[in-house]
Amino acid sequence: MEYAVLFLPLVASIISGFFGKIIGDRLSQLVTCLFVFISAILSIVIFYKVLITGYENNLIISTWLSSGSLNVNWSIKIDTLSSVMLLVVTSISFLVHIYSIGYMSHDPNKPRFMSYLSLFTFSMLTLVTSDNFLQLFFGWEGVGLCSYFLIGFWYKKESANAAAIKAFLVNRVGDFGFALGIFLIFYIFGNINYIEVFNQVPLIKDQEISLIGLKINSINLICILLFIGAMGKSAQIFLHTWLPDAMEGPTPVSALIHAATMVTAGVFLVVRCSPIFEYSELALSLITIIGMTTAIFAASVALVQNDIKKIIAYSTCSQLGYMFFAAGVGAYNVAMFHLFTHAFFKALLFLGSGSVIHAFKNEQDITKMGGVWKNLPYTYTFMIIGTLALTGFPFLSGYYSKDAIIEFAYLSGNATGYWAATVGIFTAFLTSIYSWRLIFKTFHGDYNNKNIEIKNIHESSLIILIPLFILSLGAVGSGFIFKDLFIGYEKTYSFWGESILFLEPLSNNHPPYWFIILTPVLVVLSIPISFYIFIKNKKVTEELVYMNKPMYNFLIKKWYFDELYQFILINPSKKLGIFLWKKIDLAFIDKFGPDGISSLIKSFSFKAVKFQSGFVYQYAFVMLIGFSLFLTLLIIK
């Protein structure tokens, strides 16, 4: 069963990718959807077995690397953590596969697209079922490669190619830190298998290593390097710039990679390595600070974006910040709970936005929409459900998971936790404002599109709406159904077992009542506030922008990160490259190297050919000179 879960998406990818032109579009779609569906059903069975019987297993597929004391296997590790990720990855992937049949119906390269989706699913499953850091890194790089393929799927579109390259390069920065972390783990522990490494951590928690003359705690350094890798993959601040640009890919790609699966790999890494991170207060504090900074940064930028997919992309970035600062305060189970609920409502929002874009003939600017809620009743309903869940409206999934993060941050009892809780509350308010701004500008108010008549705006087909309906069920019920299991004080330890390490037991206290109701009250109040400033009295928005023009420019420029990187990294690199090319490569290496030698030989040949005149006396003269040189060499020797 476990083998089928892992390898069916790979088989589907091979069939669709290599034989798609032979078997045709329809059969390629059928094969990929069917195989991923079977994988999803088997993942549900595995999750059920873990839930009911505490099932754990580690199936060895083959020996990957054996050298001295180092033995690394290709394996399928099943425990609570991996079973949750299997459920999320396969279920969301299956719904995206189904959705893609309708959304990509006019694309001429359907088999290639479906092949990439299935290959990505296989890579992600490889990542979450690994029992060692090498297999984890293989899956990590696999999803990065598939991300490059999928973002740049429309390769004839220049902006898509640029976005794919940007995503690939920014992720390489994080992956470099991740690779250094794995090297350091092997250097210190002599092994890269989880269980051997985790068992040795308490024994060397105080060990220091020398780095450029400084003594650094080895556990702190390992955790920081691993977290750098997580920052790149999960688009945390400083390494976040690739995520909004990645919206150049088809909408199903945005839903699969940048909402539910790949970007959560960083959160999974931190939670999987909780037996290491628990011994590094420095790394946990850093994770908390980066997480809460990312949350408020992305939420603030989303307030002024007009691209419907980029608003949701920044929302993803912000929600990942929540997950990280939950892990930073030691509430790994709460981080996983938000990852679980977020997968449903964020995939719902992305796919719902795809339905809107489909109706507007690929228009993504929300200022060119409006007044179409009657034309798109089902899409509108599903987007409302996704928005309510995202904002943490009472009793929907986001309410249970996001509020739990804020409460656990408050209960951590340290200054960093209090700051994270405060930032979390304010970010929740901003999230609600920009989310309802998207809804009101897209579906309400005046119709603003001059290229398409409103009567031509129509609802999407069933093949698009059915996945939205299923995801809406998860967005509504996943929080309430699973809250006691994932974060309930009595059940959580038995449920997570040894897949998560808690050095200190989670607090079972409750924050003050005013604190508990503060976030839901702000979330509810934001709805009429948003309606008033974005629909009822638009002059308020204009006045706010006018009075805060520097702040508006700061946000519209996304805190100037792209411009800063352009100034600090890209422009100097270009200048250095041009200098090395013109002054070193062309003017020196080529001039005195291959170009110089070839020009010298060419010049010599032009002069030598003049002796081939046909006159006997000239040939005799050349022979005499040659004979003289030969005798001279003999005499010298």
Side-chain angles (χ1 to χ4, degrees):
M1 181 168 61
E2 288 85 351
Y3 294 104
V5 170
L6 179 61
F7 288 109
L8 279 176
L10 176 62
V11 174
S13 176
I14 292 171
I15 292 173
S16 182
F18 288 99
F19 305 104
K21 290 185 178 180
I22 298 173
I23 64 178
D25 295 350
R26 187 60 65 192
L27 197 54
S28 294
Q29 292 170 333
L30 178 63
V31 168
T32 50
C33 290
L34 177 62
F35 282 23
V36 175
F37 173 70
I38 296 172
S39 185
I41 294 297
L42 295 176
S43 295
I44 294 173
V45 173
I46 291 172
F47 180 76
Y48 180 78
K49 288 175 64 177
V50 171
L51 178 61
I52 299 301
T53 66
Y55 172 71
E56 289 188 0
N57 206 345
N58 192 18
L59 302 170
I60 307 300
I61 300 172
S62 66
T63 299
W64 192 351
L65 191 151
S66 181
S67 177
S69 61
L70 179 64
N71 291 288
V72 179
N73 296 315
W74 182 284
S75 62
I76 304 176
K77 179 180 177 64
I78 301 296
D79 60 5
T80 306
L81 185 58
S82 62
S83 69
V84 170
M85 291 301 295
L86 286 176
L87 181 63
V88 170
V89 173
T90 55
S91 58
I92 299 298
S93 179
F94 168 65
L95 294 174
V96 169
H97 274 72
I98 295 295
Y99 179 93
S100 299
I101 295 175
Y103 192 86
M104 304 294 288
S105 59
H106 301 296
D107 195 276
N109 300 300
K110 300 181 193 68
R112 179 164 64 91
F113 184 76
M114 302 303 286
S115 175
Y116 288 165
L117 288 182
S118 294
L119 183 61
F120 169 83
T121 305
F122 165 73
S123 299
M124 193 67 194
L125 294 176
T126 301
L127 188 158
V128 301
T129 57
S130 61
D131 76 339
N132 61 81
F133 286 97
L134 184 60
Q135 183 180 333
L136 174 68
F137 191 73
F138 175 84
W140 192 273
E141 293 302 301
V143 294
L145 178 64
C146 293
S147 175
Y148 173 78
F149 289 155
L150 287 165
I151 296 169
F153 179 76
W154 289 321
Y155 57 86
K156 293 182 180 179
K157 187 179 177 183
E158 186 176 344
S159 57
N161 281 326
I165 293 171
K166 185 176 183 179
F168 197 76
L169 291 178
V170 173
N171 271 274
R172 296 291 71 73
V173 176
D175 293 353
F176 180 67
F178 186 28
L180 289 178
I182 295 174
F183 295 152
L184 186 58
I185 287 172
F186 178 68
Y187 174 75
I188 292 174
F189 297 100
N191 211 311
I192 54 174
N193 293 315
Y194 291 155
I195 189 164
E196 283 88 353
V197 172
F198 295 163
N199 287 339
Q200 293 182 60
V201 170
L203 304 177
I204 59 103
K205 62 181 181 179
D206 298 320
Q207 178 180 324
E208 293 183 337
I209 60 173
S210 180
L211 182 67
I212 57 174
L214 300 174
K215 292 288 186 179
I216 301 176
N217 182 276
S218 56
I219 298 298
N220 285 342
L221 185 56
I222 288 171
C223 290
I224 290 171
L225 290 172
L226 293 179
F227 179 59
I228 290 172
M231 285 176 64
K233 199 65 71 184
S234 294
Q236 294 300 282
I237 195 167
F238 302 120
L239 295 179
H240 68 279
T241 53
W242 66 271
L243 184 63
D245 290 11
M247 297 303 107
E248 290 291 339
T251 300
V253 173
S254 305
L256 179 63
I257 296 181
H258 307 114
T261 51
M262 189 189 88
V263 292
T264 60
V267 180
F268 169 80
L269 171 65
V270 173
V271 176
R272 172 59 82 192
C273 294
S274 59
I276 306 177
F277 281 94
E278 278 291 89
Y279 290 92
S280 176
E281 291 186 11
L282 174 64
L284 290 177
S285 297
L286 177 64
I287 292 171
T288 306
I289 292 168
I290 292 293
M292 67 182 182
T293 306
T294 304
I296 196 168
F297 152 73
S300 65
V301 173
L303 286 170
V304 297
Q305 295 296 307
N306 291 323
D307 187 310
I308 187 171
K309 286 172 64 177
K310 285 191 176 182
I311 294 172
I312 303 173
Y314 277 110
S315 172
T316 299
C317 195
S318 181
Q319 297 306 304
L320 289 165
Y322 274 101
M323 298 176 208
F324 274 110
F325 80 67
V329 298
Y332 305 101
N333 57 325
V334 186
M336 287 303 300
F337 185 39
H338 195 51
L339 184 154
F340 182 77
T341 60
H342 175 267
F344 293 104
F345 61 71
K346 190 51 64 65
L348 175 61
L349 285 171
F350 265 119
L351 296 184
S353 71
S355 181
V356 173
I357 294 167
H358 192 70
F360 276 92
K361 311 299 182 188
N362 297 321
E363 178 59 67
Q364 296 183 196
D365 190 339
I366 61 174
T367 62
K368 298 178 180 178
M369 300 177 186
V372 295
W373 69 274
K374 291 182 179 179
N375 301 69
L376 306 172
Y378 298 112
T379 299
Y380 173 67
T381 302
F382 295 138
M383 289 287 285
I384 288 289
I385 292 172
T387 299
L388 289 171
L390 167 65
T391 57
F393 193 83
F395 311 116
L396 273 75
S397 59
Y399 166 74
Y400 293 103
S401 58
K402 186 191 292 185
D403 281 28
I405 291 175
I406 296 171
E407 290 173 17
F408 273 94
Y410 178 84
L411 291 171
S412 64
N414 56 57
T416 308
Y418 291 142
W419 270 108
T422 304
V423 169
I425 293 171
F426 185 60
T427 302
F429 178 70
L430 294 183
T431 301
S432 195
I433 294 291
Y434 71 69
S435 297
W436 287 109
R437 173 178 177 266
L438 184 152
I439 292 294
F440 291 138
K441 281 188 169 291
T442 302
F443 295 102
H444 293 274
D446 299 324
Y447 182 74
N448 298 311
N449 196 297
K450 298 179 181 179
N451 300 319
I452 308 170
E453 293 186 21
I454 192 169
K455 64 181 180 181
N456 294 327
I457 302 294
H458 58 82
E459 190 59 88
S460 300
S461 61
L462 277 177
I463 199 72
I464 288 178
L465 294 177
I466 289 173
L468 295 179
F469 172 73
I470 297 172
L471 287 168
S472 67
L473 297 178
V476 171
S478 61
F480 176 76
I481 294 170
F482 291 99
K483 64 181 176 66
D484 289 335
L485 190 66
F486 276 69
I487 62 173
Y489 187 79
E490 295 179 359
K491 294 182 180 179
T492 192
Y493 294 108
S494 60
F495 173 68
W496 291 107
E498 296 182 357
S499 63
I500 296 178
L501 175 65
F502 299 96
L503 274 186
E504 296 182 5
L506 295 171
S507 174
N508 63 343
N509 297 323
H510 294 282
Y513 182 72
W514 65 265
F515 185 86
I516 295 175
I517 66 169
L518 179 59
T519 304
V521 167
L522 289 175
V523 166
V524 173
L525 286 176
S526 67
I527 301 175
I529 292 172
S530 300
F531 181 79
Y532 179 76
I533 63 178
F534 296 122
I535 297 296
K536 196 72 175 175
N537 190 358
K538 296 180 181 179
K539 290 183 179 180
V540 174
T541 310
E542 296 172 1
E543 291 173 0
L544 287 172
V545 170
Y546 180 77
M547 290 188 297
N548 298 278
K549 195 68 176 178
M551 176 60 71
Y552 177 78
N553 291 333
F554 181 69
L555 296 180
I556 205 73
K557 290 291 186 179
K558 300 164 287 190
W559 289 28
Y560 291 97
F561 272 105
D562 284 314
E563 289 78 7
L564 184 65
Y565 291 161
Q566 187 81 22
F567 178 75
I568 294 176
L569 298 174
I570 298 173
N571 289 339
S573 298
K574 282 184 177 180
K575 290 179 181 178
L576 178 62
I578 292 172
F579 171 78
L580 293 174
W581 168 48
K582 290 186 176 181
K583 301 299 182 182
I584 305 298
D585 194 20
L586 294 180
F588 183 78
I589 296 176
D590 284 352
K591 183 177 181 180
F592 296 103
D595 290 349
I597 294 171
S598 62
S599 62
L600 182 65
I601 293 173
K602 186 176 180 181
S603 175
F604 179 78
S605 65
F606 281 150
K607 293 181 180 180
V609 77
K610 293 180 180 179
F611 290 107
Q612 308 298 321
S613 60
F615 295 108
V616 174
Y617 68 88
Q618 285 189 344
Y619 292 148
F621 178 69
V622 171
M623 292 172 65
L624 181 62
I625 292 175
F627 183 68
S628 300
L629 290 172
F630 180 68
L631 287 176
T632 303
L633 289 172
L634 288 176
I635 292 170
I636 291 173
K637 287 183 178 181

